Amino acid sequence: MMASSYNAKDEDGHISVSGPGGGALRSKKPENTAFKQQRLPAWQPILTAGTVLPAFFIIGLIFIPIGIGLYVTSNNIKEFEIDYTGVDMSSPCFNCSQNFSWNSTRPCTCTIPFYLEQSYENNVFMYYGLSNFYQNHRRYVKSRDDSQLNGDVNSLQYPSKECEPYAYHDNKPIAPCGAIANSMFNDTLELFYHPNGTKVPVPLTATGIAWWADKHVKFRNPGENQNLTAVFQGTSKPVNWRRPVYELDYDPLNNGFINEDFIVWMRTAALPTFRKLYRIINKKDNMVPTLQRGNYTLEVVYNFPVRSFEGRKRMILSTISWMGGKNPFLGIAYITVGSVCFFLGVVLLLIHHKYGNRNNSADISN
Amino acid sequence: MGMDLSTLRTLISRYCVGEENWVDSRTIYIGHKEPPPGTEAFIQQRFPDNRIVSSKYTFWNFIPKNMFEQFRRVANFYFLIIFLVQLIIDTPTSPITSGLPLIFVITVTAIKQGYEDWLRHKADNAVNQCPVQVVEHGKVICKQSHKLRVGDVVLVKEDESFPCDLILLSSSRDDGTCYVTTASLDGESSHKTYYAVQDTKAYTTEKEVDSIHGTIECEQPQPDLYKFVGRINIYMDNEPVARPLGSENLLLRGATLKNTEYIYAAVIYTGMETKMALNYQSKSQKRSAVEKSMNAYLVVYLCILISKALINTLLKYVWQADPNRDEPWYNQRTEAERQRHIVIRAFTDFLAFMVLFNYIIPVSMYVTVEMQKFLGSYFIMWDDEMMDEELGERAMVNTSDLNEELGQVEYVFTDKTGTLTENNMEFIECCVDGHVYVPNVICNGQVMPGAAGMDMIDTSPGPEAKEREELFFRALCLCHTVQVKEEETVDGIKHGIHQGKSSSLYISSSPDEVALVEGMKRLGFTYLRLKDSHMEILNREDEIEKFELLEVLTFDSVRRRMSVIVRSGSGEFYLFCKGADSSIFPRCVAGKVDQVRSRVEHNAVEGLRTLCVAYKPLIPEQYQELCHLLNGAKLALQDRDKRLAEAYDLIEKDLILLGATAVEDRLQEKAADTIESLHKAGMKVWVLTGDKMETASATCYASKLFHRNTQILELTTKRTEEQSLHDVLFDLSRTILRQHGGMTRDSFSGLSGDCTDYGLIIDGATLSAVLRPSQEDSNSGNYKEIFLEICRNCSAVLCCRMAPLQKAQIVKLIKASKENPITLAIGDGANDVSMILEAHVGIGIMGKEGRQATRNSDYAIPKFKHLKKLLLVHGHYYYIRISELVQYFFYKNVCFIFPQFLYQFFCGFSQQPLYDTAYLTLYNISFTSLPILLYSLMEQHINMEILKKDPSLYRDIAKNSLLRWPIFIYWTILGVYDAIVLFFGAYFLFDNTTFTSNGQMFGNWTFGTLVFTVLVFTVTFKLALDTHYWTWINHFVIWGSLIFFVVFSLLWGGIIWPFLNYQRMYYVFMQMLSSGPAWLSIILLITASLLPDVVKKVIWRALWPTTTERIQHFAFLMTFLHLDMAAL
């Protein structure tokens, strides 16, 4: 009765007993596959000093040049950073940072002069950097409504609960809702070049700073091709904003939810010190460097308060290579790991030489 | 009137108490007939029906009961709590992340357990529905077994087994006896005689039986197989006749009727109240040692988890002390949150951290372990080497929970009859005056010369020698209690079962006697029958010789011999005596004692069961005298046994030694080899048998359990009669300890190899004396300890004369001893069931003695020899597989969760998850689950053949060596290291810099995805590094799950998923892959995190290789040599 183990084949075997003598036995015996007998052909590598040695040397030989390459590339990148928070009394933005109030109608502006010691070839990327700003705080990260941002009309009227306490204002839904949108970086940075005492504005491009997919797929204005003002009728602007979302830019392709500054801000940073792409300074022609050596001024419309949480604001100018911005870490890490591998390779070679033979002879004597 | 009242009172009291067990006796109405009026009024008691239930669930209670049992498991309960917390409070991850795996686990387990219970139901039904013949209204009706009720009268035919406990009423034999074998109950395959009560034995047809009017009063069921007290009242002419009933009237469920055409019997105990069922132990869930260490690790991780959550909660509030950090202008709380009390907030934060880190205790580990065990057990069932061609059976797995425990066995408790031996006696040789006769070939009594070095049989023996030779043969033909079964009842089928051997013709309570009589037949003297107290022998010349059987001096275990007195055809009186050598030699006055003795000793060493035969011619006067003596003793009313013994002692003396015989209880094929392998693998083998000591020890020698140089310590009734138990125990322990001291000295001088090893023989009675908890003196508590100490130092122990429950007791004793060794019990009969259930691993042999053992075992194998592969290969594999599985699971979850912990320090302790929900959920379920599952099914670190050839490899994994704390800590540290490399690697790459070549920035989800990608690759590669046996399946699964991860991530980020309320992962993975530095850093981080483990492995292998690694290396070299040879 219990002959029926898990496989029903056994029982089949019983039934076919009436068959030719050997047949019954064979049917009882399941197909003798290598898998069932755990005898599948297998590659059985073992990690010995002998087999690992070449791998270590190869890794070392590959990693060290890569590391050197990365390090050199990183060093060739030009980067300029300026802190315009206005913590020091001497800082031009000190006043603005001191007398900050959300309700002030007149924006506070300050001008910071700086000197570029090198000329910047190629495209220059202009970033703003914030420190001690926790964009990755859980309450903050989830405080957004992706379907509202994707143009969903229903979500426009009834923002997600996650946006609380930035979902409704004066009983009107906030568009865009949530803490992230509400705290959007709203300083205006302008750059001026001062060749020979004149003041030449540096042309800044505000497009191409957001991910292509975000700009074209993830973020959409509600109501296809309608007048934005009409679409956002009945919604309230985020509390801290000076202008409603449909007045972010004059260019209809960069207005509303698909405003690139907005999209960039909405991609929450991983760490409390971060930078975000603000503008691109495109190279105009091959003869002139994008930014020449010389005196510049940064004109800031100071709207974004960071002093209350001991934050910092920076403006960064940087060129970019194929491996991104200035970051010596990757190159150093490659060189380190490569050298460690190489070193271990040497150690293992010694061990292999000293003990490998003894080991083998012991085996064979066994 | 007064009587009526008392009846009423009894009635009321019986029904009011509501508990039927208070009656300590029961009354049974044979055939459900009312007793005649006027007798004492009996109240019909209610008895259970004859249903056997071994299943756990019914259809209705399956879901609630199974759920309850599953959530009683700490791990499941923990996950349930986490799930509920996620449902109730606002937590960083959605309830789906833990709900989905939990539901999956619970469902898979429920399905598995349901399926196993369904199998048990099927088996129960098969038993419960087998047909039974019942006498009702003078007719025989066929009923299903479970419908039997107490009081029914059943008809049992030959070779059927009894459906429940029965009182024999009558049999087809005139004397009201029947023969029964209780092989499946207590392992004794000999036929025992049972008796019907005098007053009922004449009722031999169904009509007559139906007319029996009577009641049986007997005790309530109790598990002792050999005890029964009762009384039968037969009403004849309304006049009750009371007769006592004892165990000789009780036929037990599970026993089989033999050599009797049919019997009628009354049902007294049914179903779960039968003695057989009461001897079962309740099935308890067996847990393996691996599971225990898993639980220990779990507790450690739980502590880590709680402390992580506590630390984070604490730091969170320290950090938040500044209101500008707690609630900066850009990140305000809702009003409701602000209003919440600080304590509640802190508590929910704590819970939220718990939820965030809960993945460190992997739900999926339990699923994977369950699946690994369930699927892995198929390899045992599929194994062709564990299939018996003859029986057509292969190994069976009843509980897959214990696969790895097979690799951890330290004590093996084995049954003897049917497990070690074939349960099939065979005559090997006899020795007459030093001449050895070996009936090698069955054909017409050809005499073959004996072993080399012995006296060859004289080709032309002198007339005197020939005479003695024939006298010896006649003695063996006459001196026995064998019965001959009539030819006509032997049908062809029966012949078939016994492979045409004539053994089925002779029946005896001692299989040795059958073997001897059969052996004589082969040597030319055939015992025909006993007719009118004349024994008939067919001699070599085909003449029938008749001997009148005058007296039988029956065998008893004290004398250890038996005798017959016969008168030959020519009127001479002879006394023939056969018995153990120790009881015959001192009584011999003539014969070639020395030659015979040397042969006997030689045979005993070979593991054969030897008997000596002697005779004494009697003159008629002597016979008369003896007769007188015997009759006087037999008729004595007082001290009958003592006087009989004295009489026997007087009669059986001054014997003339004829020779000796040797009988073999054939060992199972390769039993000795198996036992030797088990010994070499470091296991201690105990034989527990119901058999008598001599037989059992002979088997032990034959099966190499005891070696020639094993020093045997006896702890038997015989010895404790001479000395007190106390002294014996202390004597033995002193012997052992002296040896032990010597051994340590030896080991100092490096000569530990040749110390004598000890074997202990203990019998049931002594064992119970040792184990008996005694009230008066505290010494007895020590007995157990001393006994255990002795046992620990014996490489082999033989326990004989054991009752089934005693077998379980001894297993329990060892189990509970201070090292907590892993025990394995193996047996084939119902008498082994209790020990099979008690031991950590119970193995059933699919023997001749029914299916009880098989059904109750965890694993069932066709033959004892299969144990070797089951333990040494399968057990070994499963152990290393599952230990890697467990360690790896904890490792990969440390790698998984520790970065998340570190991330809290950079996100203001806000419980922000580092990874996306999908990754959190699928990491354990799909990205990293299959490789380890397949690893844990396929891995073979050492070739199967080597494992079989070298049993000492089993010692490498003994005592749960791969799950010890240092190894666990190593894995955990490795996990933490990897996590740190992953997290800080990504951190420094992300820190305040651009990562792309178009200047655009990445966000927190890209950061998490980068860590996660490196993580998945690292842990998978780590497994790949550990894999030693790469079949195509391993390749497929390892590379396949990495590809799956990439494809999934592309898909997950490739679409705006309409059903999700967030699109945080949109395009993240692709954007990451489009960045060159991301690729470079993935490669770098994987390399950096794998590096230390590889280096550790290589260096350890080179400097301190384990045996396993040596053998791996050797095998590796061999394959290379092989290849070279092939190339040449």
Side-chain angles (χ1 to χ4, degrees), chain B residues 227-373:
Chain B
K227 262 191 205 146
F228 175 72
V229 190
R231 184 171 59 184
I232 185 166
N233 299 305
I234 315 282
Y235 301 95
M236 284 152 127
D237 315 322
N238 289 341
E239 196 53 50
V241 185
R243 300 274 173 199
L245 293 175
S247 54
E248 72 276 9
N249 308 106
L250 180 67
L251 306 171
L252 299 174
R253 177 176 191 146
T256 312
L257 186 64
K258 289 283 179 192
N259 206 23
T260 312
E261 210 177 303
Y262 61 86
I263 57 145
Y264 288 102
V267 176
I268 59 164
Y269 302 135
T270 47
M272 300 310 281
E273 290 187 344
T274 56
K275 287 189 184 266
M276 185 183 81
L278 290 174
N279 258 287
Y280 287 163
Q281 290 192 321
S282 57
K283 275 188 187 174
S284 56
Q285 182 96 48
K286 291 184 182 176
R287 300 236 156 147
S288 69
V290 168
E291 206 177 326
K292 278 173 206 147
S293 13
M294 222 161 90
N295 285 340
Y297 296 167
L298 215 71
V299 171
V300 172
Y301 271 67
L302 197 67
C303 293
I304 293 178
L305 170 67
I306 290 175
S307 50
K308 266 187 184 177
L310 272 177
I311 290 170
N312 268 336
T313 317
L314 209 74
L315 288 176
K316 180 185 167 96
Y317 281 86
V318 170
W319 187 80
Q320 278 181 359
D322 179 357
N324 275 321
R325 279 187 183 155
D326 184 20
E327 268 193 279
W329 62 263
Y330 56 86
N331 192 13
Q332 304 275 315
R333 283 202 173 80
T334 59
E335 203 53 39
E337 264 178 277
R338 241 174 249 155
Q339 235 107 90
R340 218 170 281 158
H341 192 269
I342 177 87
V343 176
I344 296 174
R345 258 197 303 195
F347 185 64
T348 41
D349 274 328
F350 172 73
L351 288 182
F353 278 119
M354 289 281 282
V355 168
L356 185 66
F357 303 141
N358 86 81
Y359 306 91
I360 201 170
I361 295 180
V363 198
S364 58
M365 182 169 78
Y366 285 87
V367 192
T368 314
V369 166
E370 295 268 334
M371 293 216 294
Q372 189 263 352
K373 287 178 170 179

Side-chain angles (χ1 to χ4, degrees), chain A residues 1-6 10-11 25 28-30 32 35-49 52 56 59 63 66 70 102 125 127 132-134 136-142 146 150 164-166 179 183 208-211 213-214 217-218 240 267-277 304-305 308-309 314 320-327 329-330 333-334 337 340-341 344 348 351 355 358-360 363-364 366, chain B residues 90-92 115-116 119 122-123 126-127 319 324 326 329-334 378-379 381-385 387 389 392 394 396-398 855 874 881 903 906-908 910-912 937-938 940 944-945 985 987-989 992-994 996-1007 1025 1028-1031 1033 1035 1056 1061-1064 1066-1068 1071 1077 1080-1081 1083-1084 1087 1091 1094-1095 1097-1099 1101-1103 1105 1110 1112-1114 1116:
Chain A
M1 61 198 89
M2 280 300 285
S4 61
S5 50
Y6 292 124
D10 285 7
E11 284 175 332
L25 257 182
K28 178 104 186 171
K29 199 171 167 178
N32 186 2
F35 171 69
K36 287 182 174 179
Q37 300 306 319
Q38 306 194 63
R39 288 183 196 281
L40 279 178
W43 171 53
Q44 302 183 23
I46 44 174
L47 283 180
T48 58
V52 172
F56 273 45
I59 290 176
F63 274 28
I66 291 180
L70 286 171
W102 287 110
F125 295 80
Y127 297 91
N132 220 2
F133 189 98
Y134 283 82
N136 57 3
H137 195 280
R138 181 161 74 95
R139 207 183 323 131
Y140 187 82
V141 170
K142 67 175 185 177
D146 276 340
N150 196 32
E164 292 287 354
Y166 305 102
S183 60
I209 55 173
W211 293 14
D214 283 1
V217 185
K218 193 172 165 184
N240 289 353
R267 182 154 293 282
T268 49
L271 299 164
T273 300
F274 59 89
R275 58 168 78 167
K276 283 183 185 290
L277 188 53
F304 199 75
S308 63
F309 51 87
R314 289 160 297 144
I320 291 288
S321 72
W322 61 273
M323 59 149 285
K326 199 179 188 73
N327 187 7
F329 173 76
L330 194 59
Y334 258 95
V337 172
V340 166
C341 277
L344 285 171
L348 289 178
I351 288 175
Y355 297 95
R358 183 204 70 175
N359 202 358
N360 294 354
D363 284 335
I364 288 153
N366 276 349
Chain B
D90 165 47
T91 55
Y115 175 67
E116 283 176 355
L119 288 181
K122 241 173 57 172
V127 174
W319 187 80
N324 275 321
D326 184 20
W329 62 263
Y330 56 86
N331 192 13
Q332 304 275 315
R333 283 202 173 80
T334 59
Y378 275 95
F379 284 118
M381 291 190 276
W382 283 332
D383 196 334
D384 269 346
E385 282 173 43
M387 170 174 179
E389 298 277 349
R394 48 180 64 250
M396 245 166 67
V397 178
N398 294 335
R855 198 167 39 217
H874 289 291
R881 286 169 185 174
Y903 191 55
F906 300 93
C907 71
S910 61
Q911 303 121 22
Q912 171 61 26
L937 288 172
M938 313 286 295
Q940 296 179 23
M944 242 183 256
E945 305 308 321
Y987 175 83
F988 284 117
L989 291 170
N992 203 18
T993 184
T994 318
T996 53
S997 46
N998 59 7
Q1000 292 168 358
M1001 296 302 295
F1002 287 156
N1004 65 322
W1005 298 116
T1006 315
F1007 181 70
L1025 285 173
H1028 179 249
Y1029 194 76
W1030 284 85
T1031 63
I1033 299 176
H1035 282 289
I1056 296 275
N1061 56 2
Y1062 57 83
Q1063 306 296 340
R1064 52 172 85 130
Y1066 182 69
Y1067 224 69
V1068 162
Q1071 193 77 10
L1080 285 175
S1081 52
I1083 293 167
L1084 174 81
T1087 315
L1091 202 58
V1094 173
V1095 171
K1097 269 192 188 156
V1098 170
I1099 290 182
R1101 187 183 274 276
L1103 299 185
R1110 280 219 183 99
Q1112 280 176 354
H1113 191 74
F1114 188 56
F1116 188 70

Side-chain angles (χ1 to χ4, degrees), chain A residues 291-312:
Chain A
L291 289 179
Q292 280 170 320
R293 221 171 73 134
N295 284 312
Y296 289 84
T297 49
L298 172 69
E299 282 194 16
V300 180
V301 181
Y302 201 109
N303 290 326
F304 199 75
V306 293
R307 296 287 311 268
S308 63
F309 51 87
E310 283 157 17
R312 286 285 190 283

Side-chain angles (χ1 to χ4, degrees), chain B residues 645-795:
Chain B
E646 282 166 8
Y648 289 164
D649 199 41
L650 278 173
I651 296 166
E652 291 164 335
K653 64 177 187 190
D654 305 332
L655 304 172
I656 302 159
L657 187 66
L658 277 171
T661 60
V663 167
E664 187 180 22
D665 182 3
R666 262 240 313 270
L667 282 179
Q668 280 206 1
E669 200 189 339
K670 288 187 185 160
D673 169 59
T674 308
I675 287 201
E676 261 193 320
S677 303
L678 298 185
H679 266 301
K680 271 190 209 147
M683 284 174 248
K684 291 188 172 166
V685 182
W686 292 38
V687 175
L688 309 182
T689 176
D691 226 333
K692 57 180 185 285
M693 186 182 131
E694 292 77 14
T695 324
S697 64
T699 313
C700 289
Y701 275 108
S703 58
K704 304 251 175 77
L705 188 67
F706 294 157
H707 293 275
R708 204 172 294 207
N709 54 357
T710 306
Q711 194 180 338
I712 302 293
L713 310 170
E714 278 189 32
L715 195 58
T716 52
T717 334
K718 216 174 65 189
R719 222 180 137 181
T720 48
E721 271 167 4
E722 294 158 13
Q723 270 174 297
S724 77
L725 178 64
H726 184 87
D727 295 345
V728 176
L729 275 172
F730 276 90
D731 258 17
L732 292 181
S733 69
R734 220 169 300 134
T735 323
I736 294 260
L737 286 179
R738 202 181 311 129
Q739 173 62 35
H740 202 68
M743 218 167 76
T744 44
R745 221 176 305 124
D746 275 350
S747 59
F748 275 122
S749 59
L751 287 168
S752 55
D754 56 355
C755 64
T756 46
D757 57 357
Y758 286 95
L760 178 74
I761 300 179
I762 185 167
D763 62 9
T766 320
L767 182 74
S768 55
V770 169
L771 300 184
R772 189 181 302 134
S774 103
Q775 304 85 337
E776 63 265 31
D777 64 320
S778 52
N779 256 351
S780 65
N782 288 342
Y783 287 174
K784 232 189 227 177
E785 281 308 304
I786 296 166
F787 175 65
L788 281 174
E789 188 60 43
I790 295 170
C791 292
R792 224 170 274 143
N793 290 301
C794 291
S795 60

Side-chain angles (χ1 to χ4, degrees), chain A residues 34-104:
Chain A
F35 171 69
K36 287 182 174 179
Q37 300 306 319
Q38 306 194 63
R39 288 183 196 281
L40 279 178
W43 171 53
Q44 302 183 23
I46 44 174
L47 283 180
T48 58
T51 46
V52 172
L53 264 176
F56 273 45
F57 284 121
I58 290 168
I59 290 176
L61 287 179
I62 293 174
F63 274 28
I64 295 175
I66 291 180
I68 293 170
L70 286 171
Y71 189 71
V72 169
T73 318
S74 170
N75 273 354
N76 286 338
I77 286 170
K78 298 183 185 90
E79 194 174 282
F80 176 81
E81 189 173 317
I82 188 166
D83 187 324
Y84 69 91
T85 324
V87 186
D88 286 337
M89 295 278 276
S90 56
S91 168
C93 291
F94 179 72
N95 279 337
C96 288
S97 70
Q98 280 307 93
N99 309 326
F100 177 79
S101 101
W102 287 110
N103 301 328
S104 70

Side-chain angles (χ1 to χ4, degrees), chain A residues 115 146 182 184 187 347 361:
Chain A
Y115 178 72
D146 276 340
N182 183 56
M184 183 177 156
D187 280 0
V347 171
S361 58

